[in-house]
Amino acid sequence: MTALLRFIRRLAPHAILLPAALAMVYPFFWMVRASLRTSAEVFGAVPDAPPIWQSAAENYGRALIESPVLQFIANGLLVTTIILGLQVVTSVMTAYALAKLRFRGAGLLMALVVLAMAIPPQVPAFPLFLTLARMRMLDSYFALILPYMTSAFAIIMFRQFIVGIPDDIILAARQDGMNEADIVMRIVVPALKPAIAAFAIFSVTFHWNDLYWPMIVIKSTNFAPPTLGILYFRSQDGGNDFGPLMASATLVTLPMIALFLALQRQFVRGVTMSGVK
């Protein structure tokens, strides 16, 4: 009886997590399955349906030829990489100052950072749009990057990690002649690698899938990120042709899957350490 209860207790978490995992994976499965079939097959059986390889070649061929999907992916990679680099640099320096430096107004600055997380992105959208319009910088990469040059979430997350670094190590480094920039680059950043990897997945995924801000500032396909590019493709060419549309969606999803697989171990470690702290 005791062995049976122990078995049920071990099985219970998996019985709960497995349906949740299947519910999250099923939309991706449906997307890939639809990209390998004709539009008529997506919603039901069709007599004399063509082979899967023929439907897949047609769908992915149309996705690559009829829309600049590779240009959309390149735009997304460029914008998300620049945003991530700027956010890491500005957030690490700010978090280090808040965690290890003593200066007047540090508490007020930390309160403002926390307050910034409570402001929805729709609030500063109109002033930013007017600023970019007066600078004649609408419909450009700069317009996509400007609102996200730093991250309040990253500042708070990195600060929690930096607080855990013993002050004696920082003091010893200063006594050895290292300035604050050297301490950040040679001591703080290596210790922050799991946190930076975890934040990288959050940041890149958010900005890769962001549709709200690109719809405001981007008008041409030359600067459109993947999500906006799929919207153009759907309205102009894809329409109700779900096969090529799902092929485009599959192509723009592949970089995110590759990123997660590459940083999976660091991501889990960073999230786990955040929970422990």
Side-chain angles (χ1 to χ4, degrees), residues 187-265:
I187 297 177
V188 173
V189 171
L192 278 178
K193 282 184 179 178
I196 292 174
F199 173 72
I201 290 183
F202 287 127
S203 174
V204 172
T205 302
F206 174 80
H207 296 295
W208 187 270
N209 296 325
D210 184 25
L211 184 60
Y212 172 74
W213 184 244
M215 285 187 67
I216 294 176
V217 297
I218 298 299
K219 296 180 180 178
S220 66
T221 58
N222 294 333
F223 303 101
T227 49
L228 189 60
I230 290 179
L231 192 64
Y232 287 154
F233 179 66
R234 181 179 183 277
S235 60
Q236 294 175 0
D237 298 313
N240 295 323
D241 207 349
F242 279 87
L245 188 62
M246 291 300 104
S248 298
T250 302
L251 290 174
V252 302
T253 305
L254 290 178
M256 292 296 96
I257 296 175
L259 174 70
F260 179 77
L261 293 177
L263 299 178
Q264 182 181 12
R265 183 173 299 178

Side-chain angles (χ1 to χ4, degrees), residues 85-119:
L86 291 172
Q87 287 181 335
V88 169
V89 171
T90 56
S91 300
V92 168
M93 291 191 296
T94 306
Y96 174 75
L98 290 172
K100 295 298 180 183
L101 301 182
R102 300 291 177 264
F103 58 92
R104 184 176 297 178
L108 176 61
L109 180 59
M110 187 64 200
L112 292 175
V113 172
V114 175
L115 181 63
M117 290 189 63
I119 300 175

Side-chain angles (χ1 to χ4, degrees), residues 5-33:
L5 290 175
R6 193 179 301 134
F7 175 75
I8 294 175
R9 189 175 299 171
R10 283 203 306 267
L11 188 64
H14 298 284
I16 297 173
L17 292 176
L18 185 60
L22 291 176
M24 287 187 286
V25 170
Y26 181 75
F28 294 96
F29 169 77
W30 194 93
M31 177 183 68
V32 176
R33 180 175 176 271

